[in-house]
Amino acid sequence: MRLNSQRSAGFTLLELLVVLVIIGLLVGYVAPRYFSQVGKSEAKVARAQIKALEDALDQYRLDVGKYPDAEQGLQALFTQPANESRWQGPYLKKAVPNDPWGAPYQYKQPGEHGEFDIFTLGKDAQPGGSAEAADIGNW
């Protein structure tokens, strides 16, 4: 009689379950940290875009002598307003971007916090909020 002393190749159900539990624990630990970083990066992008819009508005003011009014809005940085003969733009390489959440940036002139306000309402598109839903502006 010949005894089967060789163990069959492959994994047992118990070994597979242990591996799945370990993977689940790693995903549960890493995923929340990863997704919180995504929210922080969107806020950083919004701040950088607002800074670039501020710089373009300052260049516009140097050429034209005043900031675009609320009716002209940020579009005056890319497209010459009909009544501005001293316009030397475009002041942006591309059209005015939307915020990282897909909404247009808000522009007020005169602003509540300075000569003009540029802001986004954040992820929730509602005034106020905190964390990812916080408003981000040039003030």
Side-chain angles (χ1 to χ4, degrees):
M1 289 181 94
R2 196 170 150 192
L3 294 173
N4 189 0
S5 61
Q6 292 181 338
R7 188 169 182 204
S8 63
F11 298 103
T12 66
L13 181 59
L14 182 59
E15 290 169 331
L16 288 174
L17 288 175
V18 169
V19 169
L20 288 175
V21 167
I22 291 171
I23 291 173
L25 289 172
L26 288 172
V27 168
Y29 180 74
V30 172
R33 295 180 192 284
Y34 170 75
F35 288 114
S36 71
Q37 295 301 318
V38 170
K40 289 178 185 175
S41 67
E42 288 171 335
K44 287 180 183 177
V45 167
R47 285 187 189 91
Q49 287 177 333
I50 288 171
K51 176 67 174 131
L53 292 171
E54 275 185 303
D55 293 343
L57 283 166
D58 288 338
Q59 186 63 47
Y60 179 98
R61 184 180 60 87
L62 289 172
D63 290 345
V64 175
K66 63 182 181 71
Y67 290 111
D69 60 34
E71 185 179 320
Q72 293 169 326
L74 295 173
Q75 197 57 38
L77 298 173
F78 192 70
T79 305
Q80 181 175 3
N83 58 349
E84 297 296 347
S85 60
R86 295 171 39 191
W87 190 84
Q88 299 293 313
Y91 299 95
L92 298 172
K93 290 181 181 179
K94 298 179 182 176
V96 178
N98 285 336
D99 69 18
W101 301 279
Y105 281 101
Q106 306 293 315
Y107 174 72
K108 289 185 181 180
Q109 201 286 323
E112 297 173 12
H113 304 278
E115 292 184 73
F116 61 86
D117 292 344
I118 305 171
F119 61 96
T120 175
L121 298 175
K123 187 175 183 176
D124 66 350
Q126 301 294 321
S130 61
E132 292 179 28
D135 299 349
I136 300 170
N138 65 327
W139 53 87

